[in-house]
Amino acid sequence: MYFTDRGIEELESRRGDEEVTVAWIAEQLRTFVDLNPEFETPIERFATWLAREDDDFE
């Protein structure tokens, strides 16, 4: 188990039954980066990955 799995598991257990929009997630990511600018690059990469997740990769 990766260290980050604990946070993912907490997210799922606390909010797993909620329905949210992509716009809500985007706003939360913006707020997180505003409060934690040192995480700008990983959040940018994560958001790009989510946006392109269903693209066909060769």
Side-chain angles (χ1 to χ4, degrees):
M1 174 185 285
Y2 292 104
F3 177 75
T4 56
D5 287 350
R6 291 189 294 189
I8 294 167
E9 289 176 2
E10 180 177 352
L11 173 63
E12 185 176 24
S13 70
R14 288 179 175 242
R15 298 192 169 233
D17 294 334
E18 294 180 23
E19 291 186 27
V20 298
T21 65
V22 173
W24 181 86
I25 293 169
E27 186 59 32
Q28 299 308 306
L29 291 173
R30 284 186 197 100
T31 300
F32 180 82
V33 170
D34 287 347
L35 296 171
N36 304 278
E38 67 274 18
F39 290 105
E40 179 179 8
T41 299
I43 293 298
E44 178 66 23
R45 289 179 182 169
F46 177 63
T48 300
W49 179 80
L50 283 176
R52 299 176 185 174
E53 195 272 329
D54 59 351
D55 286 354
D56 290 331
F57 291 104
E58 294 184 20

